[in-house]
Amino acid sequence: MSGVQVLGHTSDNPKITYFDADGNEQTLACALVAGCDGSRTSTRGLIPDTTVRTDHFRQYPFAWFGILAEAPPSSEELIYANHPRGFALISTRTPEVQRHYLQVDPDDSVDNWSDDRIWSELHARVDGEGAEIKDGKIFQKSILQFRSFVCEPMQHGNLFLAGDAAHTVPPTGAKGLNLAIADVYHLSKVMAEYFATRSRSGLDGYTDSVLPRVWRTQHFSWWMSSMLHRLPADTGFGHKRQVAELDMVTRSVAGRTLIAENYVGTPLEL
Ligand SMILES: Cc1cc2nc3c(=O)[nH]c(=O)nc-3n(C[C@H](O)[C@H](O)[C@H](O)COP(=O)(O)OP(=O)(O)OC[C@H]3O[C@@H](n4cnc5c(N)ncnc54)[C@H](O)[C@@H]3O)c2cc1C
């Protein structure tokens, strides 16, 4: 499928046109359209940006250098490390494949990182206090930029945005996919209600229903990011403050509960 276009989304009979695998143009007649086309969305652009849409955007002064490696797990648990050299994340995909991240400058390049440099930096930031990095063969390297973004409203006419098309979170809280699913869960319910009753009240309230959860998740992802990453131009105060914050959060039952509730996820129903 290619050349997907949404037409007439403010009318009662929107259409989606596209070219099929044989190059023939096809048309889908729609009642409602869900814009679930990810962060490189074209559907978001159908909400007029000067009169209707507000984009809230924040770029962070750090990025993640990510690797996939054939190696045994380094730990039974996911590890988030705040180190004076920068953040590191240790995670397991399968017993044979590990996914690790290092905080780097947003302008850094994959070409600057040999395998030896990556393992040595992971050891420096993570080894000790019960964890030890296990090296292996790196088979993928990429740099992930850090952005927070929310588009309001998440609907226009009969077009309804869901997931990364409407919002992105920095990856520290691992919430992007959860948030996308929560949107789609809610949108599917109000769409079904519309087809069953022809009442638009659920559809019309879609943005107002999902935005509080979107902003709560934005806050959690921002908070985790700012608590765990080395801040540029930090004279030492920032790191000491972060360590004190981590100490407070991990010592207190209320603090641990707050992290757990947000990390595992807020209920789909508000
Ligand atoms: C490296 C990395 C690690 C991540 N780790 C996590 C994690 O641990 N936990 C977590 O919750 N989230 C994670 N995320 C974020 C998560 O992947 C996204 O938030 C989530 O995939 C958003 O889902 P979505 O359906 O909105 O968009 P997408 O998953 O981007 O899906 C959009 C789909 O639309 C298709 N599409 C786009 N335009 C068109 C078009 N014109 N025609 C036809 N099809 C089109 C795309 O091909 C794609 O299949 C991670 C992201 C990255 C990049």
Side-chain angles (χ1 to χ4, degrees), residues 40-249:
R40 295 172 195 270
T41 173
S42 57
T43 53
R44 186 197 304 148
L46 297 173
I47 306 179
D49 63 353
T50 47
T51 48
V52 180
R53 198 179 88 219
T54 303
D55 291 344
H56 303 279
F57 178 71
R58 166 183 280 255
Q59 175 102 29
Y60 294 75
F62 38 78
W64 277 5
F65 185 97
I67 58 159
L68 280 168
E70 286 169 14
S74 295
S75 161
E76 284 184 8
E77 302 287 346
L78 188 72
I79 298 176
Y80 281 66
N82 178 325
H83 190 274
R85 296 174 73 93
F87 172 81
L89 171 60
I90 305 304
S91 66
T92 290
R93 279 280 182 274
T94 70
E96 295 81 28
V97 174
Q98 313 307 315
R99 181 72 148 143
H100 302 329
Y101 292 100
L102 287 165
Q103 176 185 352
V104 294
D105 189 271
D107 298 324
D108 210 334
S109 158
V110 166
D111 300 336
N112 296 332
W113 288 81
S114 67
D115 292 8
D116 283 349
R117 184 181 174 206
I118 293 167
W119 289 119
S120 136
E121 198 60 36
L122 283 167
H123 283 291
R125 295 187 192 185
V126 179
D127 283 356
E129 301 200 31
E132 191 168 338
I133 295 296
K134 299 205 171 84
D135 300 20
K137 182 169 175 262
I138 297 172
F139 63 91
Q140 196 214 64
K141 302 178 186 178
S142 58
I143 291 188
L144 188 61
Q145 299 295 331
F146 265 55
R147 300 190 175 100
S148 299
F149 174 79
V150 181
C151 146
E152 296 184 27
M154 289 169 54
Q155 64 193 91
H156 189 233
N158 282 315
L159 170 70
F160 302 85
L161 303 184
D164 278 14
H167 41 69
T168 47
V169 285
T172 324
K175 302 299 289 183
L177 186 57
N178 298 275
L179 203 49
I181 289 172
D183 284 353
V184 169
Y185 175 79
H186 191 83
L187 184 55
S188 65
K189 283 181 62 163
V190 295
M191 283 185 166
E193 178 189 292
Y194 169 73
F195 288 117
T197 66
R198 291 292 153 183
S199 160
R200 285 194 66 96
S201 66
L203 287 176
D204 290 344
Y206 170 66
T207 295
D208 289 342
S209 300
V210 298
L211 267 184
R213 177 179 44 235
V214 170
W215 278 109
R216 274 207 309 276
T217 307
Q218 287 291 353
H219 171 262
F220 178 67
S221 304
W222 164 86
W223 178 51
M224 290 284 280
S225 301
S226 48
M227 186 164 58
L228 291 166
H229 290 78
R230 180 174 47 79
L231 307 168
D234 180 25
T235 54
F237 180 90
H239 183 66
K240 296 272 184 193
R241 183 199 59 72
Q242 288 173 330
V243 172
E245 187 175 18
L246 281 165
D247 188 55
M248 178 184 74
V249 165

